[in-house]
Amino acid sequence: MHVNVIIPVFNRLKHTRKVLEALRRQTLFGALTIVVVNDGSTDGTADYLHSQDDVVEIRGGGNLWWGGAIEEGLKHVLPSCQAEDYILFLNNDTWFDDQYIETLVQTSKDNGGAAVGSVIHEEGRDPPLVSIGAKVNINRLAVWDLLSELSETEKRSPNGQYRVDALSGRGTLYPAPLFRKYGGMRPSLLPHYMADYEIAMRFARAGVPLVVSSNAIVYSPPIYGNDTSRLSWRKQLFGRRSPHNVFQRLIFYSLVGSPVQRMTAPIRMVYFSCSRAFSTWRSLAKRKEGTI
């Protein structure tokens, strides 16, 4: 059994150092191949990775984004993967305890070859749990975190496992044969956001369980991912760095779900976008009336 770890990076060298240190402390370190896809970093990342004998570096030109970087990593590791091997997607701004990968592997085995995601604990938060995994309503074009459905008590003492509708790229383990059977990333369609959800949902449609283990914890800085609060409305709606990019969401919903759901995705996106915008406007109007 071998675990191939794929980590896309762009700058943030201090984070890359930290995640590699966490990987080297793993109980399964001897079974790991660590592949870092360096997509045009300019902060000394390339020199650092070149000096690390236990790391395979793949270099990009700065236009791979997350989906393209993962695909390059898959191209490198899949030819040598055996039936019992795994592939782990990680972000570099994460760290974890020494049994993290062992927990993921055992959870996958216990659930019949499941894809296994991690819970996210945010540094400095009480309770620290900030994400379990995605729930998706394809008909209503809605995505939310399962955490929002939990009571305050359960947030502090979660169950051991949860079933979700999609898995993120911040620490998800997949049995390697899934990529040969159902394909890899689709970077030309989903270069960045939603690419992780799409591939997990593709596997789920084929009958692969999507499980999150509460014992597989990735720790993150106070703001993980990209903060879009300072972006203009235009960049929030259309910028590639924004998780709210309407084109990426339309492509995502056009790829997942049943054939009918895929064909009607554009119409439903227009309807629900207008409906939600109207609801927001009406709520703001009522609040304004209440203050007069």
Side-chain angles (χ1 to χ4, degrees):
M1 187 277 295
H2 205 80
V3 180
N4 299 277
V5 185
I6 302 176
I7 310 172
V9 303
F10 176 71
N11 292 331
R12 303 194 301 179
L13 176 56
K14 66 177 182 179
H15 289 312
T16 301
R17 291 179 184 270
K18 192 168 187 176
V19 73
L20 290 180
E21 290 170 2
L23 287 170
R24 289 168 178 143
R25 293 193 298 267
Q26 293 300 295
T27 55
L28 291 181
F29 177 69
L32 303 186
T33 293
I34 303 172
V35 178
V36 177
V37 185
N38 174 20
D39 192 22
S41 297
T42 57
D43 63 347
T45 291
D47 290 338
Y48 168 73
L49 293 174
H50 183 70
S51 68
Q52 306 304 300
D53 294 337
D54 56 355
V55 176
V56 176
E57 181 193 14
I58 298 174
R59 294 193 183 184
N63 57 358
L64 290 176
W65 299 89
W66 187 88
I70 290 290
E71 182 64 15
E72 291 303 307
L74 289 173
K75 290 178 183 177
H76 179 83
V77 303
L78 281 176
S80 61
C81 281
Q82 304 299 312
E84 68 276 10
D85 291 346
Y86 295 89
I87 292 173
L88 173 61
F89 295 171
L90 274 180
N91 281 9
N92 71 336
D93 58 340
T94 57
W95 61 97
F96 29 79
D97 65 29
D98 299 356
Q99 295 184 317
Y100 170 68
I101 295 180
E102 186 176 351
T103 298
L104 290 172
V105 170
Q106 190 59 52
T107 303
S108 179
K109 291 179 179 179
D110 291 344
N111 288 273
V116 184
S118 311
V119 296
I120 299 173
H121 283 201
E122 187 177 289
E123 198 174 42
R125 284 283 293 267
D126 182 30
L129 180 62
V130 295
S131 176
I132 294 176
K135 299 293 290 183
V136 182
N137 186 319
I138 300 175
N139 286 326
R140 298 184 63 83
L141 306 182
V143 179
W144 66 97
D145 199 289
L146 179 60
L147 181 69
S148 65
E149 299 180 4
L150 271 55
S151 67
E152 291 303 315
T153 299
E154 192 171 352
K155 289 177 182 178
R156 292 185 176 276
S157 183
N159 297 334
Q161 294 181 14
Y162 292 94
R163 297 293 288 267
V164 294
D165 297 327
L167 294 166
S168 80
R170 299 184 66 80
T172 294
L173 184 84
Y174 291 102
L178 295 179
F179 297 94
R180 287 184 177 145
K181 192 171 183 178
Y182 304 111
M185 309 306 295
R186 293 170 170 171
S188 60
L189 295 174
L190 293 172
H192 201 56
Y193 286 108
M194 314 303 286
D196 48 0
Y197 286 4
E198 188 278 325
I199 196 165
M201 294 179 73
R202 195 190 322 158
F203 294 160
R205 289 196 301 274
V208 179
L210 304 185
V211 178
V212 174
S213 170
S214 296
N215 295 316
I217 302 170
V218 294
Y219 300 92
S220 286
I223 298 178
Y224 65 89
N226 287 319
D227 180 15
T228 62
S229 59
R230 297 182 181 180
L231 296 180
S232 67
W233 67 267
R234 182 176 285 104
K235 288 186 177 180
Q236 288 200 32
L237 291 178
F238 305 110
R240 185 167 286 187
R241 291 187 181 277
S242 173
H244 310 296
N245 183 302
V246 293
F247 294 122
Q248 294 300 290
R249 287 185 170 267
L250 177 58
I251 292 171
F252 167 72
Y253 285 114
S254 298
L255 290 173
V256 301
S258 67
V260 173
Q261 289 171 325
R262 297 176 198 180
M263 287 188 296
T264 60
I267 298 172
R268 287 183 292 114
M269 175 166 274
V270 171
Y271 171 78
F272 284 114
S273 295
C274 293
S275 176
R276 288 163 185 158
F278 177 75
S279 296
T280 300
W281 173 82
R282 187 169 59 180
S283 296
L284 291 174
K286 287 184 177 180
R287 288 181 186 177
K288 187 175 180 179
E289 290 175 0
T291 60
I292 296 176

